[in-house]
C-alpha cells in the first residue's frame, strides 16, 4: 500500500482482556517501529524490528506487552491482561533504512481504550 | 538517556503572523532533529528535519534552526495559514540510532 496501515483504528476492551493490534508497513520497508502516545504527550518508543527480529525492545513497559513480525512485513502488538493505564494511541511506523536519521512514516494509529 | 523538552504547550497566533516553537535536548551526542505535524486522528507526519552539521534549514514557509552549543532547536512558521493548525512535535536521535525521543508537543492554533 501507499502508506502504513493500522487496524483496528479504535479498540475498546475490558480490563483483563487480551488485545492484538496490527500494522501493515510500506512495502519494502525493512524497519518497523511501535510507539505509544498517551493523551497530550509525544510518542514513546516501544519496540523496533529489522526484518523479522526485534532489534530493540527496550521500550516495552512490562512482560504483558509482546510484538511479532514473523515474515518481516506485517507486525502484531499483543497486550495481555490489559489495564486501564494501557489506554493510549498505539502508533506504528516504518522506514526504508534501519536508522531514525531519515525519518519515519507513521500510520494513523490504533486508539485503545481499556474500561 | 536523551530527554527532549518542548515549549510552549499551546500557541495561538493570528493568520499571517509567525509562530515559533522551541525544544531543548540533553544528549550532546544527538545529531538528528526532525519536526512532525500531527492532525486530529492521524499519525505524525515529518515536515522538516535538520542534522548537526548545519545551523539552519528552510523549506518554503517553514524553517528550523539549531544551536548545538546551547542544545536547542526551533521551528519557525511564517505567514501562518489555518491549515497550519495542528500539534507539532520535535524529536532527537543519535547517529545510527533507531529510535526517536519526542518532545511533549505544541498545539498550534491559527486564528482567522
Amino acid at each position: 500500500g501507499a502508506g502504513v496501515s493500522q487496524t483496528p483504528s479504535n479498540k475498546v476492551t475490558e480490563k483483563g482482556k487480551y488485545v492484538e493490534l496490527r500494522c501493515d508497513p510500506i512495502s519494502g520497508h525493512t524497519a518497523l517501529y511501535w510507539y505509544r502516545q498517551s493523551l497530550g504527550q509525544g510518542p514513546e518508543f516501544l519496540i523496533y524490528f529489522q526484518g523479522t527480529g526485534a532489534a530493540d525492545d527496550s521500550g516495552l513497559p512490562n512482560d504483558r506487552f509482546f510484538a511479532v513480525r514473523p515474515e518481516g512485513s506485517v507486525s502484531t502488538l499483543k497486550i495481555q491482561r490489559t489495564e486501564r493505564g494501557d489506554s493510549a494511541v498505539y502508533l506504528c511506523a516504518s522506514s526504508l533504512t534501519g536508522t531514525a536519521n531519515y525519518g519515519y512514516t507513521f500510520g494513523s494509529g490504533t486508539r485503545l481504550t481499556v474500561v | 538517556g536523551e530527554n527532549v523538552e518542548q515549549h510552549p504547550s499551546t500557541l495561538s497566533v493570528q493568520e499571517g503572523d509567525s509562530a515559533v516553537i522551541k525544544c531543548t535536548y540533553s544528549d550532546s551526542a544527538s545529531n538528528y532533529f526532525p519536526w512532525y505535524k500531527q492532525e486530529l486522528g492521524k499519525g505524525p507526519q515529518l515536515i522538516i528535519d535538520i542534522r548537526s552539521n548545519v545551523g539552519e534549514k528552510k523549506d518554503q514557509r517553514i524553517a528550523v534552526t539549531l544551536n548545538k552549543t546551547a542544545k536547542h532547536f526551533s521551528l519557525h512558521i511564517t505567514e501562518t495559514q489555518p491549515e497550519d493548525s495542528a500539534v507539532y512535535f520535535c524529536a532527537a536521535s543519535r547517529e545510527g540510532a533507531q529510535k526517536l525521543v519526542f518532545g511533549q508537543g505544541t498545539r498550534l492554533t491559527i486564528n482567522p
Side-chain angles (χ1 to χ4, degrees), chain B residues 55-81:
Chain B
E56 183 173 358
K57 183 176 179 181
K58 194 171 181 180
D59 182 4
Q60 298 182 4
R61 297 185 297 107
I62 294 174
V64 57
T65 58
L66 171 64
N67 183 326
K68 281 217 74 177
T69 303
K71 290 192 281 190
H72 67 69
F73 56 113
S74 300
L75 177 71
H76 305 252
I77 306 174
T78 58
E79 301 171 18
T80 52
Q81 301 169 2

Side-chain angles (χ1 to χ4, degrees), chain A residues 19-80:
Chain A
V19 296
E20 290 189 352
L21 313 179
R22 177 188 167 108
C23 173
D24 233 307
I26 292 173
S27 178
H29 280 194
T30 59
L32 184 145
Y33 312 81
W34 284 98
Y35 280 74
R36 178 167 72 173
Q37 186 174 23
S38 300
L39 192 63
Q41 300 296 315
E44 292 181 307
F45 172 81
L46 294 177
I47 188 169
Y48 154 66
F49 286 90
Q50 182 60 261
T52 60
D56 183 353
D57 64 357
S58 61
L60 294 178
N62 53 59
D63 61 6
R64 295 187 297 105
F65 288 75
F66 189 70
V68 295
R69 194 185 185 200
E71 297 178 357
S73 178
V74 171
S75 176
T76 305
L77 178 65
K78 308 180 180 194
I79 311 174
Q80 299 177 323

